Amino acid sequence: KKEAEAAKLSDKHDRAKLPLWVSLTMVGIFAVLVVVLILMNTTFQDNLVFSQIATIVIGACCGVLFYLRRFTTNPDSKFQKILYIILAVMAVVYIFMGAYGLLRVL
């Protein structure tokens, strides 16, 4: 029993390991999103140009997260595949909406 529990524990640790640059990129995405959302709701609340740029940044973050999914070591379930598809669609939609809105504002 102890060997089986140790194998399960080591398997959990193996699944959690990501390359360092992937982990740093995810931390960077989180920091960028927090800064953009704080600025969008406080200082630049009524600024149309910044809101369109923020939409593009949010879409780009979705795209980067969609790209980073390939560096996970565990096999994807159907639920994860659906989430990845939604993430990719949201990346395209947000970038398009932000670019179109920015084009109209300028």
Side-chain angles (χ1 to χ4, degrees):
K1 285 185 177 181
K2 290 183 179 181
E3 290 178 11
E5 289 177 14
K8 286 182 183 179
L9 186 61
S10 68
D11 185 42
K12 286 182 182 179
H13 289 300
D14 289 342
R15 284 190 285 152
K17 290 182 182 177
L18 292 174
L20 179 64
W21 70 272
V22 173
S23 299
L24 292 176
T25 304
M26 292 175 84
V27 169
I29 287 173
F30 180 74
V32 166
L33 286 176
V34 167
V35 168
V36 165
L37 292 174
I38 287 173
L39 289 175
M40 201 166 107
N41 289 317
T42 56
T43 307
F44 295 111
Q45 189 171 6
D46 297 326
N47 191 339
L48 292 176
V49 174
F50 182 77
S51 67
Q52 299 306 321
I53 291 172
T55 303
I56 293 171
V57 168
I58 292 170
C61 288
C62 288
V64 170
L65 287 174
F66 175 74
Y67 174 74
L68 291 179
R69 69 159 168 60
R70 69 173 54 189
F71 296 103
T72 58
T73 57
N74 56 345
D76 296 335
S77 66
K78 288 188 177 194
F79 181 70
Q80 284 178 324
K81 289 180 181 178
I82 291 170
L83 286 178
Y84 292 146
I85 291 170
I86 291 171
L87 196 60
V89 168
M90 292 308 295
V92 171
V93 167
Y94 266 75
I95 290 173
F96 176 75
M97 284 179 13
Y100 182 71
L102 192 62
L103 184 67
R104 290 194 56 162
V105 168
L106 296 178

